[in-house]
Amino acid sequence: MNKIKTLLVSSLAALSIFTACSKSNEKVVVEIWHTYNGSQQDYLNQAAEKFNASQEKYEVKVLAQDYSGFADTVYNAVANKIGPSIIFNYGSTAVDYAKEGLAVDISKYIAEDVKKGDTAMQDIIASLPASMQTDVKGFEDGGIYYLPGCTTGPVFFYNKEIFDELGLNPPKDWDELAAISKTIYEAKGIPGFHSDGLVDNIQMMIMQNGLGYIDVDKKEVAFDSDGLAEIYQWYADCCSKGYFEFNTIGKYASEDLATGAIAAFSGSCVNDQYITMLTGELGIAPWISTSNGRSFYTGWNRGPIFLTRNAKVDRGAYEFAKFFLSPEVNGGWAKANSALSPYGTTEKDEDYKAYINNLPSSSALPCVLANLPVSGSFPNVHGGSQVRNILVEYLNNVVDGKMTAKDAAAAVVKDCNEALAD
């Protein structure tokens, strides 16, 4: 009987050791939740497979989710420690997660890597254009909770037939835009311009006029109401005279250009895939990046946001991001998104160079690429999204004649400062 007991105890001990070894050999699972489809979804799956095969510690699982309600689903899941470690979005989305302690500051992992002699991620981030660094390092506490994955931006789409007939060239600054639009309105009776993505243009004018944007330390806007009032008045005057169209006439600005309702608009570079001109010929040019001797171009950077799960999983998410932003992989991601990479490290990759050098003649990306060196970004602080909304809301009031430019600008400063201080 004692012999049987001894054998049983030995068997259980061996099983316990085997189970412990099995658990220790299990990979740490890192989940990515997304709403991509088509080439983006395929590429993300392929990247996860390559990463999983490249090492034995982590397993990345890519899980497609419904677009409807995605933001709420993710937030609730992360708050309950059952959510993803990575989602793809803009830096502004990471702000609320960071404020609630639900985002991971990867700067600690970068520092650990550097101590071990691994500067890969440090070098990747350092290769961003200087003016774009704020997008990564502009969080209130100085942490890094997000990284760009690829970049797009606004370009100038115009009816080349009208411009050629009137001897016009795409505008280089805002005064030229007004003069061109005036000429078109007087000759053709249609607005010369519409801003599809108005807030980005307001921000660009603010920066190109040297007004400043947000003072992170003071938690208030840096621009003054007098400077903003001048911008508001100028824009409203152009609209009231018929030179600019404030709202779209049809459903989309691309539709209005195609039908000849307007002569030009500034909007996302992806519009090159959707515009089929019904009258005239499509022209594409770089959007205004310099005025008053100051350069600033709003690039749109979407990439991984790091969300909390536990220490091991959080580190795994960082390791995948380091792999995902490596030159070859990141170049492929830019291509899958019909976008650009903002990283100098990726620009040196031969496959990425071939992609850039062989873009179709109809592609708008070369126009974004031309402005990428002066592409800028804004601090990712709590209240930043509200500032964007407030800027557009009050310009609407000025254009509609509900407020003077002076009163609207004063209200903008007040409301923005309250949003930033909240």
Side-chain angles (χ1 to χ4, degrees), residues 184-206:
I184 292 171
Y185 178 74
E186 291 176 347
K188 297 293 182 179
I190 62 172
F193 174 73
H194 169 71
S195 180
D196 188 24
L198 181 59
V199 65
D200 297 295
N201 285 335
I202 298 172
Q203 289 175 318
M204 288 172 68
M205 284 188 278
I206 286 172

Side-chain angles (χ1 to χ4, degrees), residues 24 52 98 134 151 172 190 242 267 379:
S24 65
N52 293 341
T134 305
T151 296
K172 299 297 184 182
I190 62 172

Side-chain angles (χ1 to χ4, degrees), residues 91 94-95 98 103-110 125 133-147 216 306 379-381:
V95 173
V104 180
D105 179 3
I106 64 166
S107 60
K108 58 187 176 184
Y109 301 133
I110 297 172
I125 295 173
Q133 295 279 341
T134 305
D135 200 36
V136 172
K137 300 177 180 179
F139 290 85
E140 290 178 75
D141 62 359
I144 298 176
Y145 300 95
Y146 140 93
L147 291 170
V216 177
F306 304 96
N380 288 310
V381 297

Side-chain angles (χ1 to χ4, degrees), residues 361-383:
S361 58
S362 59
S363 174
L365 284 179
C367 296
V368 180
L369 188 62
N371 282 331
L372 202 58
V374 295
S375 176
S377 51
F378 300 103
N380 288 310
V381 297
H382 185 71

Side-chain angles (χ1 to χ4, degrees), residues 279-294:
T279 175
E281 177 188 352
L282 178 63
I284 306 174
W287 185 222
I288 296 169
S289 62
T290 301
S291 279
N292 305 302
R294 300 182 183 88

